[in-house]
Amino acid sequence: MDLWHKLRAQSAAIYLSLLVTGAVLLQVISNLWRGEAVFKGQSAALILFFVIFSFAFVSWLGVPRRVLASGLLSVFLILMTVAWLAHWFLMRLHGDGTDYTAILYVPILIMIWLKPPTLREAKVAILVFAWTVAIVLVLTRVLEMLGSLTLQAQPQGVIDFDEARYFLPVNDLLGIDGRWTGPFGHNGDTAMMGALLIVIAVAFWTRSSWVFIAVGGFALLLTNGRASIGATIAGMIVIVVFAKEGRIARIPRTLRLWGGGAALLLGAILMYSMAAGSTGRSTFWPAFLKLWESAPLVGIGSSGIASSGGVTGQYLHAHNMYIDELARNGLLGFITQYGAITLGVVITVIAAKRGLAGPLAIMTAYLVTGITEPRNGWMSPTATGMLVILVVVTAGVALQRDYVPKVTQVANKNT
């Protein structure tokens, strides 16, 4: 009985923190150990995630009964479930496979719907995500330098291209060939994590923010991920545009919006005009769009892409999260998934207008990085997928509880 009472005193931050930590470790361990089987044909990453989910579920049971998620947040969770069901159907239709963590995706959404966090609890979980990513990035690099860890080797041609066309001022000094792939499997994904760290640091400022900025900036320096640098700028612009206090808030919002848009456009033109150019995307994107045109409603699936031959069969993904979804899962997958994500953006925009811009900034940064590289299968609880859900939940519970920014609270006290 004493243990049960202690469990009931727990907050929702614990089960959410365990879930996001597990999702990050699932991706990292899968990449570092290539998904090698360690027990009854299952990888260490998969087993670890199920163990962490078990602890998260026990913690969730200990959270006292709460008011269910409602309004737009409830609709978002329902649409994410519908999107998962659509992807499950498409996976079966195409004869593709997935790992067992996929069966936990909808239960996680139900857990959040039944016992949503408070605003503070949701923020804590986002900071735990940031700490986990920061520790993994630093630990990976330290172990590499000690010779205890070797990341997946890149083809020499890729290394030569990167070193000739990307600004990598310290990689040679640190013994890194080309752009650093990092613990997330690809330099684009590692760069994205660096960008998210910086945006989270500024969006939810704490004493830890300087750590996140330092680690995130270092990751961007080692990867020179142009889309991720642009994503960082985009996230900062969102925070500036929706600022409600400080000197920035004195500048008319329209002026901030136009100024931010101009800065983002100029930055995009500048980065595209650099030596690396489009890095083959002018070829990848049309090729994958042609695959989509061959099966516009349901796509051709992962197995179809693998057997397609040419550049699509060679690279296996479109180097664009949105085109890749179209080719892989057609309009059915795209509309259900990005319909849910669009509603998530709407929720974060409403919260930003009320003074909570952090969720929109993080969401914007993630969606911008998706233009050129990072992917999300939307079938399993991935690191970035969990973060997307968490930031929408953060914005949603703020609206559900009539969030009032500090500046308004102070003004009310003075009247």
Side-chain angles (χ1 to χ4, degrees), residues 13 15 20 52 55 68 81 107 113 150 165 179 186 201 238 271 287 299 304 317-318 356 363 373 392 396:
Y15 85 80
V20 295
I52 292 176
F55 281 107
L68 304 179
T81 302
W113 180 72
T150 302
R165 304 201 178 200
R179 301 163 69 196
H186 189 276
V238 168
M271 284 187 281
H317 66 96
L356 184 66
M363 178 74 87
E373 183 63 43
V392 176

Side-chain angles (χ1 to χ4, degrees), residues 25 28 32 35 109 125 149 180 203 233 246 271 312 318 324 338 364-365 374 376 381 386 392 410:
L25 295 179
V28 170
L32 294 181
L109 295 176
L149 180 65
W180 188 46
I233 296 171
M271 284 187 281
T312 55
D324 191 85
Y338 287 102
T364 299
N376 201 320
M386 285 299 300
V392 176
V410 172

Side-chain angles (χ1 to χ4, degrees), residues 41-99:
Q42 304 305 314
S43 68
L46 186 143
I47 294 170
L48 176 62
F49 187 80
F50 269 86
V51 171
I52 292 176
F53 175 82
S54 299
F55 281 107
F57 184 69
V58 171
S59 176
W60 177 84
L61 288 175
V63 176
R65 184 178 298 178
R66 298 186 172 190
V67 176
L68 304 179
S70 61
L72 291 178
L73 176 56
S74 180
V75 177
F76 169 75
L77 295 172
I78 292 171
L79 290 181
M80 290 292 283
T81 302
V82 170
W84 185 89
L85 292 172
H87 282 77
W88 180 269
F89 166 76
L90 291 166
M91 179 195 70
R92 302 294 294 177
L93 178 68
H94 298 139
D96 296 335
T98 187
D99 62 66

Side-chain angles (χ1 to χ4, degrees), residues 370-404:
I371 294 174
T372 64
E373 183 63 43
R375 294 153 283 163
N376 201 320
W378 302 115
M379 281 290 296
S380 300
T382 61
T384 49
M386 285 299 300
L387 179 63
V388 166
I389 293 170
L390 189 54
V391 296
V392 176
V393 169
T394 303
V397 296
L399 300 181
Q400 193 169 319
R401 292 165 174 78
D402 295 321
Y403 173 72
V404 179

Side-chain angles (χ1 to χ4, degrees), residues 404-415:
V404 179
K406 290 182 179 179
V407 65
T408 304
Q409 295 175 12
V410 172
N412 292 338
K413 288 180 180 179
N414 294 334
T415 57

Side-chain angles (χ1 to χ4, degrees), residues 55-273:
F55 281 107
F57 184 69
V58 171
S59 176
W60 177 84
L61 288 175
V63 176
R65 184 178 298 178
R66 298 186 172 190
V67 176
L68 304 179
S70 61
L72 291 178
L73 176 56
S74 180
V75 177
F76 169 75
L77 295 172
I78 292 171
L79 290 181
M80 290 292 283
T81 302
V82 170
W84 185 89
L85 292 172
H87 282 77
W88 180 269
F89 166 76
L90 291 166
M91 179 195 70
R92 302 294 294 177
L93 178 68
H94 298 139
D96 296 335
T98 187
D99 62 66
Y100 287 120
T101 62
I103 64 177
L104 302 178
Y105 191 90
V106 173
I108 288 172
L109 295 176
I110 294 173
M111 287 164 64
I112 295 173
W113 180 72
L114 290 174
K115 295 180 180 180
T118 63
L119 179 58
R120 179 183 174 280
E121 291 168 347
K123 287 181 178 180
V124 168
I126 291 176
L127 292 176
V128 168
F129 170 90
W131 267 114
T132 305
V133 170
I135 291 171
V136 164
L137 287 169
V138 172
L139 187 59
T140 299
R141 186 62 202 129
V142 169
L143 291 176
E144 280 185 294
M145 295 174 68
L146 293 175
S148 302
L149 180 65
T150 302
L151 296 182
Q152 185 175 359
Q154 299 187 83
Q156 189 59 46
V158 173
I159 294 173
D160 293 340
F161 181 91
D162 287 351
E163 292 181 344
R165 304 201 178 200
Y166 286 90
F167 179 63
L168 304 168
V170 299
N171 288 37
D172 283 342
L173 181 65
L174 296 176
I176 299 173
D177 295 326
R179 301 163 69 196
W180 188 46
T181 56
F184 294 98
H186 189 276
N187 48 55
D189 295 275
T190 298
M192 173 187 62
M193 288 300 187
L196 291 173
L197 276 181
I198 295 173
V199 175
I200 290 172
V202 178
F204 300 114
W205 191 267
T206 67
R207 287 178 293 181
S208 306
S209 290
W210 290 114
V211 175
F212 301 153
I213 291 173
V215 176
F218 193 60
L220 289 179
L221 183 66
L222 299 183
T223 56
N224 193 229
R226 293 173 298 164
S228 294
I229 294 171
T232 305
I233 296 171
M236 297 300 103
I237 290 172
V238 168
I239 294 171
V240 168
V241 168
F242 289 97
K244 285 186 172 292
E245 53 186 338
R247 294 182 180 179
I248 295 176
R250 299 174 187 173
I251 303 173
R253 178 174 292 178
T254 303
L255 185 61
R256 284 180 270 161
L257 182 61
W258 281 103
L264 192 60
L265 178 61
L266 180 63
I269 294 173
L270 178 63
M271 284 187 281
Y272 182 79
S273 63

Side-chain angles (χ1 to χ4, degrees), residues 274-320:
M274 294 171 67
S278 66
T279 55
R281 287 172 179 80
S282 57
T283 301
F284 299 150
W285 294 352
F288 275 86
L289 284 172
K290 284 186 178 180
L291 291 184
W292 167 59
E293 290 171 359
S294 67
L297 181 60
V298 297
I300 66 171
S302 299
S303 55
I305 293 174
S307 61
S308 62
V311 68
T312 55
Q314 179 183 359
Y315 288 96
L316 300 179
H317 66 96
H319 291 71
N320 178 292

